[in-house]
């Protein structure tokens, strides 16, 4: 066992579990790109069984959760959106757009107009056929409700966009955009019924599951959509349960209260690997835990302070301690598994002396800052490492711990505190920029208010040649690496644990690309 002092499950409880379940050496095999399974399931592939209920636990929800697909902020909300709604396209495991509700999507010569042909025969959960009117309404309604859609879909001229026929929509853009087939994969682009305004008690989509019961911050009970247009769903029901506490989530799995746990801390996974009756999946992706500094609030309005803090964190130790070594060192950028990632930018190293020189240059003496964080998959542990490593640069970091449910509470913490904690799941640079780096972005965590950045980003999106476009994206990433407000200390290896009764987990637990989890419709359970 590695670094037993990191494991919060008591040794006595785990010893009892071993006696009850039996103990066997851990083993692992690879199942496709980026997916490694350790445990009993690694040796057998079975035919899916139809029926049954699967209970799955997520972290990060809260009482403020909503069913509206445009207002998401938490991992739990994104999982629910993925289960209930569909979009015109999705991002596949190679980081490229793939058709979903769209049967075809194509631009004109300069990518200023995009025509979408819908799949025929798709129905909403209430039996209403999907039409082009629903699609156009979904985008108009999303923009009107604000949140992420306000900036993400600002390139669409919704007055000029039109319904061509029942299954065809023409999107007219305010300026050419060669990335539009990626834009419409966003969670906020989930398709809803024409005229829908109320999401207070339920939500109707075209996704693989439909809502039976929803208790905010507690659970969402879903039933199979019998008329789903895609691959048939095996489960009768999927019960999505919010369990923020790591100990409670793992104990619920071991005691049989749940069948699958998402966002498992790596230090628990190391012990679960050898447990008879349970398996652990190590996926791949670009999930980036990070600390954000708001550039509109002192002392982070000084570029030297931001640069100094980036040099004052021991990233390698953060990955070792906070992720149990299962991950890679971050470089203050997002999306390393996507083609647009700027791979030529040098890795930023731990340099407390360089940090001290920057602070002296800015006329800053002993720097004291408060970092707000929560115990979510390594965030608190890395904050503790950061606190110690920054002392060598004369920086005093005090840590304010909050609950995971409050991490994205916009009333008191999120987008409010000068120095906070965040996590971006699997997104490319351009998706992250639309959502969090433009002046109008709803999740502009670092207060990146630079008209020149916005203009350069729009120019890059209009570039038709993908290599040239990625080159322009790389230049923008370099500007953020030089003076931006993010400290991306690591790239997580996503970990999912489940009982040996669970099948069809490969999509959910494999490659993470984009905000939305995939593969929920492929899950099945022995019964």
């Amino acid at each position: 066992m590695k670094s037993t002092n990191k494991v919060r499950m008591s040794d006595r409880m785990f010893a009892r579990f071993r006696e009850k379940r039996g103990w066997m050496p851990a083993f692992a095999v690879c199942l496709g790109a980026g997916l490694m399974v350790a445990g009993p399931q690694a040796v057998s592939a079975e035919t899916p069984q139809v029926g049954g209920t699967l209970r799955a636990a997520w972290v990060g929800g809260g009482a403020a959760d909503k069913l509206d697909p445009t207002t998401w902020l938490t991992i739990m909300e994104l999982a629910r959106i993925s289960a209930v709604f569909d979009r015109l396209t999705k991002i596949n495991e190679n980081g490229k757009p793939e058709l979903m509700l769209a049967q075809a999507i194509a631009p004109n010569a300069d990518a200023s107009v995009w025509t979408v042909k819908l799949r025929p025969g798709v129905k909403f959960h209430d039996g209403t056929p999907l039409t082009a009117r629903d699609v156009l309404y979904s985008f108009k309604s999303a923009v009107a409700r604000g949140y992420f859609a306000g900036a993400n879909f600002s390139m669409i001229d919704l007055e000029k966009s039109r319904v061509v026929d029942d299954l065809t929509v023409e999107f007219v853009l305010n300026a050419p955009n060669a990335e539009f087939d990626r834009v419409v994969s966003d969670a906020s682009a989930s398709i809803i019924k024409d005229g829908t305004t109320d999401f207070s008690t339920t939500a109707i989509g075209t996704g693989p599951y439909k809502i039976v019961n929803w208790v905010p911050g507690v659970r969402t009970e879903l039933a199979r959509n019998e008329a789903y247009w895609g691959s048939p769903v095996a489960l009768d029901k999927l019960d999505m349960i919010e369990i923020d506490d790591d100990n409670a989530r793992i104990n619920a799995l071991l005691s049989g209260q749940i069948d699958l746990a998402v966002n498992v801390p790596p230090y628990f996974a190391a012990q679960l690997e050898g447990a008879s009756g349970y398996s652990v999946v190590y996926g791949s992706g670009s999930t980036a835990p990070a600390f954000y500094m708001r550039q509109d609030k002192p002392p982070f309005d000084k570029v030297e302070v931001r640069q100094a803090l980036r040099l004052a964190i021991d990233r390698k130790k953060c990955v070792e301690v906070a992720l149990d070594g299962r991950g890679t060192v971050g470089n203050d950028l997002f999306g390393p598994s996507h083609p647009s990632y700027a791979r030529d930018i040098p890795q930023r190293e731990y340099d407390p002396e360089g940090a001290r020189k920057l602070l002296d240059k800015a006329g800053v003496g002993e720097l004291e800052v408060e970092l707000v964080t929560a115990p979510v998959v390594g965030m608190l542990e890395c904050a503790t490492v950061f606190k110690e490593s920054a002392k060598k640069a004369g920086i005093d970091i005090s840590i304010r711990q909050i609950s995971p449910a409050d991490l994205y509470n916009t009333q008191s913490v999120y987008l409010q505190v000068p120095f906070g904690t965040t996590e971006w799941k699997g997104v490319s640079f351009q998706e992250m920029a639309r959502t969090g780096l433009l002046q109008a972005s709803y999740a502009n965590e670092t207060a990146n208010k630079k008209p020149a950045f916005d203009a350069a980003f729009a120019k890059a999106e209009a570039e038709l040649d993908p290599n040239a476009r990625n080159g322009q994206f790389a230049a923008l990433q370099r500007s953020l690496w030089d003076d931006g407000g993010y400290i991306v200390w690591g790239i997580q290896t996503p970990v999912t644990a489940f009982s040996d009764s669970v099948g069809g987990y490969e999509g959910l637990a494999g490659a993470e690309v984009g905000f939305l989890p995939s593969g929920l419709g492929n899950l099945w359970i022995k019964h």
Side-chain angles (χ1 to χ4, degrees):
M1 190 188 311
K2 183 179 180 181
S3 302
T4 53
N5 62 319
K6 297 180 203 166
V7 180
R8 287 175 280 178
M9 185 187 302
S10 74
D11 292 336
R12 181 177 299 175
M13 187 279 286
F14 208 86
R16 288 201 304 269
F17 169 72
R18 285 187 301 204
E19 290 173 4
K20 181 179 178 182
R21 294 280 185 175
W23 191 257
M24 61 185 294
F27 53 88
V29 299
C30 291
L31 297 179
L35 182 65
M36 185 177 75
V37 183
Q41 289 241 6
V43 296
S44 64
E46 300 178 80
T47 302
Q49 295 183 23
V50 177
T53 298
L54 189 148
R55 303 155 301 170
W58 268 264
V59 64
D65 280 6
K66 299 178 179 66
L67 294 176
D68 184 342
T70 67
T71 62
W72 60 270
L73 278 173
T74 69
I75 296 171
M76 182 71 166
E77 287 175 305
L78 288 167
R80 187 166 51 239
I81 289 170
S82 184
V84 175
F85 298 98
D86 293 318
R87 287 140 300 283
L88 296 176
T89 65
K90 64 179 180 180
I91 304 301
N92 66 22
E93 65 179 15
N94 298 315
K96 296 181 179 180
E98 185 176 293
L99 297 175
M100 202 173 192
L101 289 178
Q103 189 176 60
I105 179 168
N108 65 354
D110 69 349
S112 62
V113 177
W114 286 73
T115 301
V116 177
K117 292 279 188 181
L118 299 177
R119 293 180 184 273
V122 177
K123 294 182 179 180
F124 285 97
H125 296 154
D126 63 356
T128 305
L130 169 72
T131 72
R133 287 179 291 279
D134 300 306
V135 172
L136 190 56
Y137 173 80
S138 296
F139 282 87
K140 288 183 176 181
S141 176
V143 170
R145 297 200 302 283
Y147 291 86
F148 298 103
N152 288 4
F153 308 144
S154 61
M155 77 285 291
I156 306 173
D157 188 329
L158 290 168
E159 294 301 317
K160 292 181 180 179
S161 298
R162 66 190 182 98
V163 171
V164 177
D165 58 41
D166 279 354
L167 295 177
T168 309
V169 185
E170 183 180 84
F171 286 99
V172 179
L173 309 187
N174 295 311
N177 192 309
E179 294 263 315
F180 189 70
D181 53 350
R182 297 184 69 97
V183 171
V184 296
S185 71
D186 186 80
S188 299
S190 295
I191 303 304
I192 61 175
K193 282 181 61 176
D194 185 8
T196 301
T197 57
D198 184 10
F199 296 92
S200 59
T201 58
T202 193
I204 296 174
T206 61
Y209 299 96
K210 53 187 179 181
I211 294 175
V212 175
N213 183 46
W214 170 59
V215 181
V218 180
R219 73 196 313 142
T220 306
E221 297 174 49
L222 303 166
R224 175 174 58 233
N225 176 10
E226 300 285 359
Y228 187 53
W229 59 270
S231 299
V233 174
L235 294 172
D236 288 335
K237 294 181 179 179
L238 174 61
D239 195 357
M240 302 174 69
I241 305 165
E242 184 214 336
I243 307 179
D244 278 339
D245 182 79
D246 291 334
N247 275 298
R249 199 160 68 259
I250 298 304
N251 289 342
L253 178 66
L254 298 180
S255 63
Q257 297 175 60
I258 62 172
D259 307 296
L260 182 148
V262 180
N263 290 93
V264 175
Y267 32 79
F268 279 123
Q271 293 193 0
L272 286 170
E273 279 181 9
S276 177
Y278 293 88
S279 295
V280 177
V281 172
Y282 298 96
S284 64
S286 298
T287 294
F291 303 123
Y292 63 85
M293 303 171 282
R294 290 195 63 85
Q295 299 173 64
D296 59 348
K297 295 184 178 181
F300 308 106
D301 53 344
K302 290 186 177 182
V303 64
E304 293 88 355
V305 170
R306 300 195 300 273
Q307 291 170 338
L309 283 161
R310 285 169 149 186
L311 294 176
I313 183 169
D314 189 337
R315 300 159 194 264
K316 292 179 180 178
K317 191 169 184 180
C318 269
V319 171
E320 178 187 343
V321 172
L323 302 181
D324 206 38
R326 295 187 180 274
T328 57
V329 172
N331 197 29
D332 302 330
L333 300 171
F334 298 89
S337 65
H338 291 267
S340 59
Y341 186 71
R343 291 173 175 78
D344 293 337
I345 295 176
Q347 174 63 51
R348 183 168 273 131
E349 303 288 349
Y350 177 46
D351 182 5
E353 292 182 1
R356 185 64 257 167
K357 290 178 181 178
L358 284 166
L359 294 176
D360 291 340
K361 177 183 176 182
V364 177
E366 296 296 315
L367 180 64
E368 297 181 2
V369 293
E370 179 186 72
L371 175 58
V372 180
T373 191
V376 178
V377 191
M379 293 180 178
L380 180 60
E381 291 83 357
C382 181
T384 304
V385 169
F386 194 5
K387 176 183 175 70
E388 292 304 311
S389 66
K391 288 179 180 178
K392 292 184 179 180
I395 300 172
D396 182 11
I397 299 176
S398 61
I399 297 173
R400 175 156 66 96
Q401 181 179 335
I402 59 174
S403 73
D406 286 332
L407 195 61
Y408 295 103
N409 185 331
T410 56
Q411 301 302 312
S412 57
V413 178
Y414 188 60
L415 306 178
Q416 305 296 322
V417 298
F419 198 15
T421 303
T422 190
E423 180 184 72
W424 289 81
K425 290 189 71 65
V427 295
S428 66
F429 161 72
Q430 58 269 43
E431 283 145 353
M432 194 274 164
R434 289 186 211 105
T435 307
L437 289 171
L438 303 180
Q439 293 180 88
S441 296
Y442 179 74
N444 196 337
E445 297 166 331
T446 63
N448 193 58
K449 306 287 187 179
K450 300 173 182 175
F453 182 93
D454 289 17
F457 184 73
K459 181 182 178 183
E461 286 201 305
E463 173 57 57
L464 299 179
D465 179 75
N467 291 327
R469 185 163 67 247
N470 286 337
Q472 293 181 45
F473 286 149
L476 287 166
Q477 290 171 77
R478 179 67 199 225
S479 72
L480 295 170
W481 189 85
D482 286 338
D483 61 13
Y486 279 109
I487 301 172
V488 182
W489 54 267
I491 302 299
Q492 289 181 13
T493 296
V495 183
T496 306
F498 48 90
S499 76
D500 60 8
S501 63
V502 175
Y505 52 79
E506 293 87 354
L508 174 63
E512 287 186 324
V513 285
F515 286 112
L516 292 162
S518 62
L520 290 173
N522 299 327
L523 293 169
W524 58 276
I525 193 164
K526 297 177 185 177
H527 55 89

